[in-house]
Amino acid sequence: MLPDPQRFLAVAGRRIARAEGAAQAVRELYRVTVPDLADGMFVYLGDHPPDGSEPERLELDGVPAELGGAMGGSPPRSTPVAPDGALAALLRCGRARGRGPDDVDEALRELLGTAPRLPQGNRVLLAPLRAPDAVVGVAVFLRRPDREDFVDDDIALADALSAQTALGVREDALAAAPPAAPKAPDEDRLRYVGAATRRIARGFDTDEIVLGLCRAAVPTYSDAALVYLRDPLPVGDERPNGPAVLRLRRTDRLKGPGAELVWPVETVDDEQDDLDASDWSEVVPGGALAEVLRGVRPVFADTPPTRDALGELVGADSALNDWVGSHAILAPLRGRRRVTGAVVFLRRPERPAFEPADLLVAAQLATHTALGVDKAVLYSREAFIADRLQRAMLPQTLPRPTGVRLASRYLPAAETARVGGDWYDAIPLPGSRVALVVGDVMGHSMTSAAVMGQLRTTALTLAGLDLPPQEVLHHLDEQAQRLGTDRMATCLYIVYDPVSHRITVANAGHPPPILLHPGGKAEVLTVPPGAPIGVGGIDFEAVELDAPTGATLLLYTDGLVESRLRDVWTGIEQLREKLAATAQLTGPDRPPPLEALCDEVLDMLGPGDRDDDIALLAARFDGIAPSDVAYWTLEPEAGAPGRARRLTRQALAGWGLEDLSDTAELLVSEIVTNAVRHASRPISLRLLRTDVLRCEVGDDVPQLPRLRQAKATDEHGRGLYLVHRLARRWGTTRLGTGKIVWFELGGPGG
């Protein structure tokens, strides 16, 4: 049994569905099946009459040479299907069957004879290729004798893949069938127009809409179709600049006998749809093509002006100019505000010509296509703008705080819902701490992206006030209600202290984080669930947990763990197992590289797992050892700067950083002197040794000092100037009880 049947079916089914024609559908079935589901397979296709009746004979569609050798002989090339035989009964049943029952063994004998050697046990599957209206063949799946038998899940997969292949084979058979003359009653035309427009409307982007038009028109309505669109396509109320240029977007034609009557013999190829037409055409103002496009309505190419218009479009030297009159229709594609292109419908000379009523059909097809193109262009532009807006609101780079390494990933959703409100952030806090934030605004739209930006900005502001995590969520909840939107959001706010090696976690309805311990154990942290932001009236809770050195914390949005194929808790458990398995690759003594770990996490996604945005933030806790921290409290008195210099000198000597002592003493003395001048409570001095030396001075004065240029006669005002010139980096942070002024020395550029 496959480890993840649902993901396998989603990937394999999509590959088969993309196949063009019966031959490619069968090839894709083989490629997705071997070796994951079976060790070998081959397909018999029937003569599949157009009326959907059962096939009278099955023809082998090729078998790999190595498979034939392993079976002790190749299967027969052709097999008759007796109407009352076991093989016919199995085809009518329409379900995949494993070897064992007498009727299945008898069907195998009828299909293959006695020459091939088949594996024993339930290692052979017979799967009819059954389309909704006909059986088009049968597939045989084989496993080696040393491999386990097919189980029920394997049989269900073979059944689903065979049905998907049958659809491709059947569609190809219908397309190759000679079309009936279009002399149908009006109700048949209406029925056709309804089905055709529904097919066009199913298109999501421009290419799908144009493809829907071609597939709906050929071969039922015409033998060929050429679709030209403006390049570039205008968006909304934009007025195109420069001359109007129509570019050939897609062609489709009838394949099979008689095709050479329209297309030169040397161009007839089952693998390409190109017609003998120009790739682009400029619409000259006042020209024949411009007049036809301005007229909006489809026209026959039966007058000199319309023939000239067709020649301008497909090229004066095109062989298509020889089939004019009522066998060619030129239909403008007019959207809501302007003509966006043109489509040409062609019929072979031996087929009945288009009738006047067919112009109405062409008008319907062209109108629905043009409106669909308008819709696709507008949606594409909106999605592009929203996507750029959303990415602009996300952090462009992550900070490099002391004691923690960070990595992130962001993936937009699938094309059908690509704009969302997921965000992440890492915000440096006073005391070398860092806030880790991940959130998700519910919904997919420009509004979701805008709300996300507002909430992220609010979170950044609240973090700057150094509020406790639960207070940050409380204020975010109030802000969401003030915005007056019905968009709720989930959020996880975590503060990591590298000195205490602890994290403080507050949650607002978000999936819990996962902690990968240094030994390789992955743990889903137990945190208060909370209610989403925007509900109102909720008291958020915070919990404090250990953050061991070398551990990795993973924050994510629900798009990573929840999809149509699995619920959120199943996805969280799969994510936990993925993290644990990845940690085993590097061993218990060495955690996996952070960037590679993020990539491995995203590899668990399958084709059906991209219904939502995905934001991912990983934090590797390096921490700061107690031996690398020095802390003192100084009274705000005249002797405090001198004592601060002595303490700094002693600490740096103990750390072997005497070369930084003079600069550190000078800058600490300047900052402490300024604090003594204004503070009324004890002053804190803390030194941290990491890859740089960080000095922090805290006092109870909330006003932040500003760098200014002191005059020659000023007695004060040069302290921060010295800090600015001599320190590697420096800054100030306001606290709820005052502020911290810090600077760094040493390291690169120190």
Side-chain angles (χ1 to χ4, degrees), residues 683-701:
I683 300 165
S684 65
L685 171 62
R686 186 167 76 164
L687 305 181
L688 303 173
R689 180 183 65 166
T690 56
D691 55 341
V692 297
L693 174 67
R694 183 181 176 97
C695 305
E696 300 174 349
V697 177
D699 58 50
D700 63 343
V701 180

PDB file of all heavy atoms in Angstrom, residues 683-701:
ATOM      1  N   ILE A 683      19.708  52.376  38.475  1.00  0.00           N
ATOM      2  CA  ILE A 683      20.051  52.197  37.059  1.00  0.00           C
ATOM      3  C   ILE A 683      20.587  50.786  36.876  1.00  0.00           C
ATOM      4  O   ILE A 683      21.353  50.283  37.712  1.00  0.00           O
ATOM      5  CB  ILE A 683      21.112  53.238  36.635  1.00  0.00           C
ATOM      6  CG1 ILE A 683      20.569  54.662  36.840  1.00  0.00           C
ATOM      7  CG2 ILE A 683      21.540  53.027  35.193  1.00  0.00           C
ATOM      8  CD1 ILE A 683      21.651  55.714  36.792  1.00  0.00           C
ATOM      9  N   SER A 684      20.192  50.136  35.767  1.00  0.00           N
ATOM     10  CA  SER A 684      20.689  48.782  35.482  1.00  0.00           C
ATOM     11  C   SER A 684      21.791  48.843  34.438  1.00  0.00           C
ATOM     12  O   SER A 684      21.744  49.645  33.502  1.00  0.00           O
ATOM     13  CB  SER A 684      19.549  47.885  34.986  1.00  0.00           C
ATOM     14  OG  SER A 684      19.052  48.355  33.743  1.00  0.00           O
ATOM     15  N   LEU A 685      22.790  47.985  34.601  1.00  0.00           N
ATOM     16  CA  LEU A 685      23.882  47.840  33.630  1.00  0.00           C
ATOM     17  C   LEU A 685      24.050  46.351  33.346  1.00  0.00           C
ATOM     18  O   LEU A 685      24.277  45.563  34.280  1.00  0.00           O
ATOM     19  CB  LEU A 685      25.180  48.439  34.184  1.00  0.00           C
ATOM     20  CG  LEU A 685      26.454  48.162  33.370  1.00  0.00           C
ATOM     21  CD1 LEU A 685      26.346  48.772  31.973  1.00  0.00           C
ATOM     22  CD2 LEU A 685      27.690  48.688  34.101  1.00  0.00           C
ATOM     23  N   ARG A 686      23.936  45.994  32.085  1.00  0.00           N
ATOM     24  CA  ARG A 686      24.093  44.586  31.712  1.00  0.00           C
ATOM     25  C   ARG A 686      25.030  44.466  30.521  1.00  0.00           C
ATOM     26  O   ARG A 686      24.912  45.222  29.540  1.00  0.00           O
ATOM     27  CB  ARG A 686      22.738  43.951  31.373  1.00  0.00           C
ATOM     28  CG  ARG A 686      22.856  42.455  31.125  1.00  0.00           C
ATOM     29  CD  ARG A 686      21.517  41.772  31.111  1.00  0.00           C
ATOM     30  NE  ARG A 686      20.766  42.001  29.900  1.00  0.00           N
ATOM     31  CZ  ARG A 686      19.707  41.262  29.520  1.00  0.00           C
ATOM     32  NH1 ARG A 686      19.286  40.272  30.301  1.00  0.00           N
ATOM     33  NH2 ARG A 686      19.078  41.544  28.415  1.00  0.00           N
ATOM     34  N   LEU A 687      25.955  43.507  30.587  1.00  0.00           N
ATOM     35  CA  LEU A 687      26.885  43.195  29.505  1.00  0.00           C
ATOM     36  C   LEU A 687      26.601  41.781  29.012  1.00  0.00           C
ATOM     37  O   LEU A 687      26.450  40.857  29.830  1.00  0.00           O
ATOM     38  CB  LEU A 687      28.342  43.296  29.976  1.00  0.00           C
ATOM     39  CG  LEU A 687      28.787  44.623  30.607  1.00  0.00           C
ATOM     40  CD1 LEU A 687      30.257  44.539  30.991  1.00  0.00           C
ATOM     41  CD2 LEU A 687      28.555  45.782  29.656  1.00  0.00           C
ATOM     42  N   LEU A 688      26.524  41.610  27.704  1.00  0.00           N
ATOM     43  CA  LEU A 688      26.283  40.307  27.084  1.00  0.00           C
ATOM     44  C   LEU A 688      27.410  40.011  26.110  1.00  0.00           C
ATOM     45  O   LEU A 688      27.740  40.841  25.252  1.00  0.00           O
ATOM     46  CB  LEU A 688      24.949  40.305  26.328  1.00  0.00           C
ATOM     47  CG  LEU A 688      23.699  40.669  27.133  1.00  0.00           C
ATOM     48  CD1 LEU A 688      22.497  40.786  26.213  1.00  0.00           C
ATOM     49  CD2 LEU A 688      23.439  39.620  28.201  1.00  0.00           C
ATOM     50  N   ARG A 689      28.009  38.826  26.253  1.00  0.00           N
ATOM     51  CA  ARG A 689      29.076  38.420  25.341  1.00  0.00           C
ATOM     52  C   ARG A 689      28.543  37.338  24.393  1.00  0.00           C
ATOM     53  O   ARG A 689      28.213  36.228  24.811  1.00  0.00           O
ATOM     54  CB  ARG A 689      30.281  37.874  26.118  1.00  0.00           C
ATOM     55  CG  ARG A 689      31.423  37.439  25.198  1.00  0.00           C
ATOM     56  CD  ARG A 689      32.574  36.835  25.973  1.00  0.00           C
ATOM     57  NE  ARG A 689      32.204  35.594  26.627  1.00  0.00           N
ATOM     58  CZ  ARG A 689      33.075  34.717  27.149  1.00  0.00           C
ATOM     59  NH1 ARG A 689      34.375  34.982  27.086  1.00  0.00           N
ATOM     60  NH2 ARG A 689      32.654  33.621  27.747  1.00  0.00           N
ATOM     61  N   THR A 690      28.435  37.676  23.126  1.00  0.00           N
ATOM     62  CA  THR A 690      28.091  36.688  22.098  1.00  0.00           C
ATOM     63  C   THR A 690      29.152  36.823  21.002  1.00  0.00           C
ATOM     64  O   THR A 690      30.335  36.854  21.312  1.00  0.00           O
ATOM     65  CB  THR A 690      26.675  36.923  21.557  1.00  0.00           C
ATOM     66  OG1 THR A 690      26.575  38.273  21.058  1.00  0.00           O
ATOM     67  CG2 THR A 690      25.630  36.724  22.637  1.00  0.00           C
ATOM     68  N   ASP A 691      28.744  36.908  19.759  1.00  0.00           N
ATOM     69  CA  ASP A 691      29.722  37.206  18.712  1.00  0.00           C
ATOM     70  C   ASP A 691      30.107  38.682  18.728  1.00  0.00           C
ATOM     71  O   ASP A 691      31.041  39.090  18.042  1.00  0.00           O
ATOM     72  CB  ASP A 691      29.170  36.826  17.343  1.00  0.00           C
ATOM     73  CG  ASP A 691      27.832  37.480  17.054  1.00  0.00           C
ATOM     74  OD1 ASP A 691      27.162  37.916  18.020  1.00  0.00           O
ATOM     75  OD2 ASP A 691      27.439  37.550  15.881  1.00  0.00           O
ATOM     76  N   VAL A 692      29.355  39.474  19.500  1.00  0.00           N
ATOM     77  CA  VAL A 692      29.697  40.873  19.754  1.00  0.00           C
ATOM     78  C   VAL A 692      29.550  41.126  21.245  1.00  0.00           C
ATOM     79  O   VAL A 692      29.007  40.297  21.990  1.00  0.00           O
ATOM     80  CB  VAL A 692      28.776  41.844  18.965  1.00  0.00           C
ATOM     81  CG1 VAL A 692      28.946  41.652  17.474  1.00  0.00           C
ATOM     82  CG2 VAL A 692      27.321  41.654  19.368  1.00  0.00           C
ATOM     83  N   LEU A 693      30.030  42.261  21.699  1.00  0.00           N
ATOM     84  CA  LEU A 693      29.809  42.693  23.080  1.00  0.00           C
ATOM     85  C   LEU A 693      28.652  43.682  23.073  1.00  0.00           C
ATOM     86  O   LEU A 693      28.702  44.701  22.376  1.00  0.00           O
ATOM     87  CB  LEU A 693      31.066  43.358  23.641  1.00  0.00           C
ATOM     88  CG  LEU A 693      30.897  43.989  25.032  1.00  0.00           C
ATOM     89  CD1 LEU A 693      30.646  42.914  26.082  1.00  0.00           C
ATOM     90  CD2 LEU A 693      32.114  44.841  25.398  1.00  0.00           C
ATOM     91  N   ARG A 694      27.613  43.370  23.844  1.00  0.00           N
ATOM     92  CA  ARG A 694      26.436  44.240  23.914  1.00  0.00           C
ATOM     93  C   ARG A 694      26.348  44.815  25.323  1.00  0.00           C
ATOM     94  O   ARG A 694      26.372  44.064  26.307  1.00  0.00           O
ATOM     95  CB  ARG A 694      25.175  43.473  23.569  1.00  0.00           C
ATOM     96  CG  ARG A 694      23.914  44.330  23.539  1.00  0.00           C
ATOM     97  CD  ARG A 694      22.697  43.477  23.204  1.00  0.00           C
ATOM     98  NE  ARG A 694      21.455  44.219  23.253  1.00  0.00           N
ATOM     99  CZ  ARG A 694      20.845  44.749  22.203  1.00  0.00           C
ATOM    100  NH1 ARG A 694      21.391  44.624  21.000  1.00  0.00           N
ATOM    101  NH2 ARG A 694      19.712  45.407  22.325  1.00  0.00           N
ATOM    102  N   CYS A 695      26.225  46.123  25.409  1.00  0.00           N
ATOM    103  CA  CYS A 695      26.090  46.822  26.682  1.00  0.00           C
ATOM    104  C   CYS A 695      24.722  47.494  26.725  1.00  0.00           C
ATOM    105  O   CYS A 695      24.337  48.187  25.777  1.00  0.00           O
ATOM    106  CB  CYS A 695      27.178  47.879  26.845  1.00  0.00           C
ATOM    107  SG  CYS A 695      28.857  47.235  26.672  1.00  0.00           S
ATOM    108  N   GLU A 696      23.993  47.309  27.840  1.00  0.00           N
ATOM    109  CA  GLU A 696      22.645  47.861  27.994  1.00  0.00           C
ATOM    110  C   GLU A 696      22.564  48.637  29.310  1.00  0.00           C
ATOM    111  O   GLU A 696      22.915  48.108  30.380  1.00  0.00           O
ATOM    112  CB  GLU A 696      21.604  46.748  27.994  1.00  0.00           C
ATOM    113  CG  GLU A 696      21.582  45.926  26.715  1.00  0.00           C
ATOM    114  CD  GLU A 696      20.645  44.741  26.791  1.00  0.00           C
ATOM    115  OE1 GLU A 696      20.166  44.423  27.910  1.00  0.00           O
ATOM    116  OE2 GLU A 696      20.391  44.115  25.737  1.00  0.00           O
ATOM    117  N   VAL A 697      22.090  49.865  29.228  1.00  0.00           N
ATOM    118  CA  VAL A 697      21.905  50.704  30.412  1.00  0.00           C
ATOM    119  C   VAL A 697      20.432  51.082  30.481  1.00  0.00           C
ATOM    120  O   VAL A 697      19.894  51.682  29.538  1.00  0.00           O
ATOM    121  CB  VAL A 697      22.783  51.972  30.356  1.00  0.00           C
ATOM    122  CG1 VAL A 697      22.511  52.867  31.568  1.00  0.00           C
ATOM    123  CG2 VAL A 697      24.261  51.591  30.292  1.00  0.00           C
ATOM    124  N   GLY A 698      19.780  50.738  31.591  1.00  0.00           N
ATOM    125  CA  GLY A 698      18.359  51.033  31.753  1.00  0.00           C
ATOM    126  C   GLY A 698      18.100  52.001  32.885  1.00  0.00           C
ATOM    127  O   GLY A 698      18.791  51.978  33.911  1.00  0.00           O
ATOM    128  N   ASP A 699      17.095  52.895  32.674  1.00  0.00           N
ATOM    129  CA  ASP A 699      16.706  53.815  33.736  1.00  0.00           C
ATOM    130  C   ASP A 699      15.198  53.993  33.690  1.00  0.00           C
ATOM    131  O   ASP A 699      14.505  53.408  32.848  1.00  0.00           O
ATOM    132  CB  ASP A 699      17.440  55.158  33.606  1.00  0.00           C
ATOM    133  CG  ASP A 699      17.182  55.834  32.265  1.00  0.00           C
ATOM    134  OD1 ASP A 699      15.998  55.948  31.883  1.00  0.00           O
ATOM    135  OD2 ASP A 699      18.153  56.233  31.591  1.00  0.00           O
ATOM    136  N   ASP A 700      14.664  54.811  34.602  1.00  0.00           N
ATOM    137  CA  ASP A 700      13.217  54.964  34.728  1.00  0.00           C
ATOM    138  C   ASP A 700      12.685  56.191  34.003  1.00  0.00           C
ATOM    139  O   ASP A 700      11.547  56.617  34.245  1.00  0.00           O
ATOM    140  CB  ASP A 700      12.820  55.034  36.204  1.00  0.00           C
ATOM    141  CG  ASP A 700      13.420  56.245  36.909  1.00  0.00           C
ATOM    142  OD1 ASP A 700      14.390  56.829  36.364  1.00  0.00           O
ATOM    143  OD2 ASP A 700      12.934  56.601  37.995  1.00  0.00           O
ATOM    144  N   VAL A 701      13.463  56.777  33.098  1.00  0.00           N
ATOM    145  CA  VAL A 701      13.039  57.971  32.369  1.00  0.00           C
ATOM    146  C   VAL A 701      12.533  57.534  30.991  1.00  0.00           C
ATOM    147  O   VAL A 701      13.307  56.983  30.194  1.00  0.00           O
ATOM    148  CB  VAL A 701      14.194  58.974  32.214  1.00  0.00           C
ATOM    149  CG1 VAL A 701      13.723  60.212  31.452  1.00  0.00           C
ATOM    150  CG2 VAL A 701      14.750  59.351  33.581  1.00  0.00           C
TER     151      VAL A 701
END
